[in-house]
Amino acid sequence: MRKSNVILLWLTPIYIWIAQLTAYIHEYGHSFTAWALGFKANPLDIIYGGWSWQNFIFVANIDENVNYALIDQLGHRHLISLIAFAGPGIITLSIYLITLYLLRKKFNSYLYCLIFWINLINLRELWAYVPLRALSTTADIANINYSLSLSPWWIFILISPFVAWAVLNFFSNTLQNAYEKLGLFSTSSKATLLILTVVYFFTLTGLQILTANYNSITNTLTWASFVAIPFILFLCWPKRSN
């Protein structure tokens, strides 16, 4: 493994940590929408999560700090969907699409690697929303369903194929292109990046959902998602260079 590849590998935790900070932009999406609609006095007033090691490492305890129950009580149930949608449907999706476009451009390997991880982390967020938590009774998707009086199955059925395609595109195209853009030519360096992305995408996402207070169907979908891990590793495992 080349020296530059080793440096990128050691920098990976820093890249992931920086990329995870885009979650704050997601929460600001909710908060600024609520503020624009007149339901918050300060759009910067979100829950930043404190200084626990879990929040510092995984950005795990942040929240938009929007009082959806009060909005409902004030008779604006239909506006809840706009606020709830702003996070995943506008911010997270936009970051994913912008970074997907940027990954087609030429950057030095260090900047490219950061864009790569921002793309993966926001795709991971979309995956965590739909399909994994699409049938949950709490959080953003549940708020959208409640606001619009939708069966949760509609979002699950209609949106899941698009997110599944995006995940397939990442491992079959984005990751393969990253090998070349990052200068990963050895089998070991390619395999290392593949394993890191698979573990982060599926395992960490699954553990975060399974250790939270979601319903049984959400947990079942999360457990089922682990089935993809061996298939992706087998199908995407880098071939030995000649």
Side-chain angles (χ1 to χ4, degrees):
M1 190 179 293
R2 299 191 307 173
K3 181 179 178 180
S4 60
N5 297 159
V6 174
I7 294 174
L8 282 175
L9 178 61
W10 280 104
L11 287 175
T12 295
I14 298 175
Y15 283 130
I16 292 175
W17 184 79
I18 294 173
Q20 287 181 151
L21 296 179
T22 58
Y24 284 104
I25 305 176
H26 171 108
E27 302 302 341
Y28 283 137
H30 293 300
S31 187
F32 271 83
T33 303
W35 170 75
L37 293 172
F39 299 120
K40 287 194 73 170
N42 181 1
L44 300 178
D45 179 22
I46 67 172
I47 296 174
Y48 290 89
W51 294 101
S52 67
W53 69 267
Q54 295 97 329
N55 189 65
F56 183 77
I57 295 175
F58 299 112
V59 195
N61 300 317
I62 65 176
D63 185 78
E64 65 264 37
N65 195 25
V66 173
N67 193 335
Y68 292 105
L70 177 61
I71 296 172
D72 190 19
Q73 291 172 9
L74 292 173
H76 300 289
R77 173 176 168 177
H78 60 291
L79 295 178
I80 291 175
S81 60
L82 293 178
I83 301 169
F85 178 78
I90 297 178
I91 300 301
T92 302
L93 180 60
S94 294
I95 294 174
Y96 164 72
L97 292 174
I98 290 169
T99 52
L100 185 64
Y101 170 77
L102 291 176
L103 288 173
R104 300 176 182 176
K105 305 298 180 180
K106 290 184 178 180
F107 299 97
N108 67 65
S109 59
Y110 298 103
L111 179 56
Y112 186 93
C113 193
L114 176 60
I115 297 170
F116 172 85
W117 279 104
I118 292 175
N119 178 262
L120 176 62
I121 283 171
N122 282 274
L123 175 58
R124 168 183 173 266
E125 283 298 307
L126 294 173
W127 172 256
Y129 276 108
V130 182
L132 298 189
R133 292 182 293 171
L135 302 177
S136 171
T137 55
T138 58
D140 293 339
I141 302 300
N143 284 332
I144 293 172
N145 292 330
Y146 170 75
S147 174
L148 300 177
S149 299
L150 289 175
S151 165
W153 289 98
W154 281 112
I155 291 179
F156 178 80
I157 294 171
L158 295 177
I159 306 300
S160 292
F162 293 100
V163 180
W165 175 87
V167 174
L168 179 63
N169 179 69
F170 176 86
F171 287 104
S172 61
N173 292 311
T174 302
L175 181 61
Q176 307 305 315
N177 293 334
Y179 293 153
E180 180 181 352
K181 295 289 183 67
L182 296 174
L184 305 180
F185 300 113
S186 68
T187 302
S188 61
S189 60
K190 293 177 182 179
T192 299
L193 183 59
L194 171 63
I195 293 170
L196 284 172
T197 55
V198 168
V199 169
Y200 185 85
F201 190 91
F202 290 101
T203 306
L204 182 60
T205 304
L207 290 176
Q208 287 179 333
I209 292 176
L210 292 172
T211 54
N213 188 28
Y214 291 105
N215 58 10
S216 59
I217 193 167
T218 299
N219 291 337
T220 300
L221 288 170
T222 302
W223 281 111
S225 71
F226 293 147
V227 175
I229 294 176
F231 287 99
I232 290 177
L233 289 175
F234 175 76
L235 294 173
C236 299
W237 194 260
K239 295 179 175 58
R240 188 177 298 275
S241 304
N242 295 328

